[in-house]
Amino acid sequence: MSDLLFCLWIALIGADRIDFAGGHGPFILTPFLALTPIVALSELVRRHTAGSRIEISRGTIAYMAIAGALVSIALLSAFAAPIPTVSFSRTMLLAGDIAGTLTIAILASDRTNLLRLMARGAIAALALFVVFDIAEPLAYLGRIAETARFGPALVKIGELQTAGPIPRLGGAVSDANRAALVLLFYAVVILAGERGRVLRRWALALTALLFIATFSRSGTLGAIGLLALAVIDGRIRVAPWFAASVAMVAALACGAVIARPAVVDRIDAFFTSPAAARLSVSEGSAQGHLALVERGLTASMSSVPRALIGHGYGNSYLELQDVFPANKYGNYHSLYVTMFAEAGIFALLLTLVLLAAPMAAGGFWRPFVAASVCFNFFYQTTTEPVYWFVLALAWASVLIRAHEQTDTRAVLTLGSSAPAALRSRTSG
């Protein structure tokens, strides 16, 4: 039962289109919030039955201290906020995300099948993504209702995001950008934890298709960061013939352009389309993101008190009513800028430390932490449980000496069909 509950927790960790309060509560009771106490109790019972003591690493203690300091500073910034109650409630949500994910990370740390269970939960989540990705366009076209009830739970299917005429599908995650980050997490655990070769390949292929369907620039930045660190760490290897094939395709493409210059006009027409504007850093909302970042930096450094304590955690929307009118969730679209603007320079420094230490220490989760670093350039994941869960797992080994670490890693060779191209190995 504990295995099943943990898999369910992983499968629904980002599913904020589901409200177990049925829309009647003061906030959305997401599966993460509803299941975390149940999973924690289940893990405690499992440990008690197995006689497994709870041990906390020095890295976890350091993470608790730094994350606790970040929450304290965010809470302190409420005294400078125009609406302190908003700052306080959003700080409590931040504390809940950090504490909930940390609790599960600690209680599940003794599992020898941790990655395998994560992979099974991730594969179950892919099925849920497919169901929502089919239902959302149907609701947008008026073919089905925009909400559905399953017992006390309310499921929101409407509010489809689009890029021009192209739908941006985020599955059970209400925001397509965060959905992209969740899918990157699922890809990592499926690659490392699923032992069935056929199931693993099909699951990774489906994850890639679902990732593309999000049409997320921030997700693409995260994927680039993840792949770059995976190559550096030796988790992804490129077969010589595969690299040569890519080079040949590029050469043929250049030759086609030289032989038929009219191709350039067709390419230009594509990149000026509404869908392609999503991929540009100078068109559409990307330009707006850069303007928001600049505005946030200007606001942060407008005075010494602002730079030290910010204008209140979660209160950016008040400064941005001209950009996001009547929207209580408007922000500067960058984790680093928003932290600086809302809670001051010390909150920004603590955020950077939380990300930098696992990057420097290495370990299994380093590529995903790199993905989070890149993803947050033009987005923010302070309310995404996956982000905090991986940080808690990554910090658990930050202060462990190299010869004490056991690093289980999946190695993927691009361009190889041999069974050994995708395997698990243990080193340490």
Side-chain angles (χ1 to χ4, degrees):
M1 180 59 70
S2 63
D3 288 357
L4 179 62
L5 284 171
F6 183 77
C7 288
L8 185 63
W9 187 79
I10 291 293
L12 299 176
I13 192 170
D16 56 356
R17 284 185 176 272
I18 302 172
D19 181 6
F20 281 111
H24 303 301
F27 55 87
I28 298 175
L29 185 59
T30 63
F32 166 75
L33 294 175
L35 289 174
T36 296
I38 299 173
V39 175
L41 179 60
S42 171
E43 289 296 300
L44 282 171
V45 172
R46 178 188 61 80
R47 275 181 171 271
H48 177 73
T49 303
S52 175
R53 295 189 307 169
I54 297 176
E55 298 180 354
I56 301 177
S57 71
R58 290 173 294 169
T60 299
I61 294 172
Y63 173 75
M64 293 168 63
I66 297 170
L70 178 63
V71 172
S72 300
I73 290 174
L75 191 60
L76 181 64
S77 73
F79 293 99
I83 306 181
T85 53
V86 171
S87 226
F88 179 78
S89 63
R90 294 188 180 180
T91 302
M92 291 301 99
L93 177 60
L94 172 67
D97 286 337
I98 293 173
T101 53
L102 175 61
T103 299
I104 302 302
I106 291 174
L107 293 178
S109 62
D110 67 323
R111 285 184 172 275
T112 56
N113 61 344
L114 182 62
L115 279 174
R116 188 178 184 187
L117 289 178
M118 285 188 190
R120 292 301 167 91
I123 292 172
L126 297 183
L128 189 63
F129 262 78
V130 171
V131 171
F132 271 87
D133 281 0
I134 293 172
E136 288 164 25
L138 292 176
Y140 181 75
L141 295 173
R143 300 296 181 86
I144 61 174
E146 293 192 349
T147 59
R149 287 193 177 274
F150 295 90
L154 176 68
V155 180
K156 298 180 181 179
I157 308 172
E159 300 179 0
L160 177 69
Q161 293 178 305
T162 61
I166 307 298
R168 299 181 61 207
L169 305 174
V173 185
S174 61
D175 184 90
N177 290 305
R178 287 191 296 105
L181 186 69
V182 172
L183 287 167
L184 287 178
F185 166 72
Y186 287 155
V188 169
V189 297
I190 290 171
L191 177 62
E194 179 50 51
R195 297 177 182 176
R197 187 175 63 181
V198 175
L199 178 58
R200 180 175 56 221
R201 288 180 175 178
W202 279 104
L204 288 173
L206 179 57
T207 304
L209 291 175
L210 294 171
F211 179 86
I212 293 170
T214 65
F215 235 72
S216 170
R217 277 189 302 258
S218 294
T220 302
L221 286 175
I224 291 172
L226 189 150
L227 291 173
L229 260 294
V231 170
I232 291 172
D233 286 352
R235 300 172 193 272
I236 293 181
R237 299 169 184 168
V238 181
W241 76 265
F242 183 81
S245 299
V246 172
M248 183 169 292
V249 169
L252 290 174
C254 292
V257 170
I258 293 172
R260 294 195 174 185
V263 173
V264 176
D265 295 331
R266 296 178 184 177
I267 294 174
D268 180 68
F270 168 78
F271 279 103
T272 55
S273 67
R278 289 289 312 167
L279 304 177
S280 172
V281 295
S282 61
E283 303 263 351
S285 62
Q287 193 172 18
H289 288 182
L290 291 173
L292 286 171
V293 168
E294 182 180 1
R295 185 165 168 176
L297 291 173
T298 301
S300 302
M301 297 183 287
S302 60
S303 66
V304 173
R306 272 286 183 97
L308 290 176
I309 199 171
H311 56 64
Y313 183 76
N315 272 235
S316 289
Y317 74 98
L318 295 172
E319 304 275 333
L320 298 170
Q321 283 299 296
D322 57 319
V323 182
F324 306 107
N327 187 334
K328 292 185 178 181
Y329 301 99
N331 56 69
Y332 295 109
H333 280 65
S334 171
L335 172 66
Y336 316 110
V337 175
T338 298
M339 275 296 183
F340 188 16
E342 292 185 347
I345 186 63
F346 297 109
L348 171 61
L349 292 176
L350 289 173
T351 299
L352 294 176
V353 170
L354 283 173
L355 290 165
M359 288 277 290
F364 174 79
W365 294 107
R366 186 161 85 137
F368 186 83
V369 175
S372 299
V373 170
C374 297
F375 182 89
N376 280 299
F377 284 150
F378 299 110
Y379 208 77
Q380 55 192 65
T381 53
T382 49
T383 59
E384 179 48 61
V386 161
Y387 169 76
W388 294 110
F389 183 53
V390 171
L391 280 184
L393 292 172
W395 268 87
S397 60
V398 161
L399 298 180
I400 298 177
R401 293 191 300 272
H403 70 271
E404 294 176 338
Q405 294 193 55
T406 299
D407 181 16
T408 302
R409 63 177 65 184
V411 180
L412 171 65
T413 303
L414 296 180
S416 175
S417 58
L422 191 55
R423 64 187 184 275
S424 293
R425 73 183 183 190
T426 303
S427 62

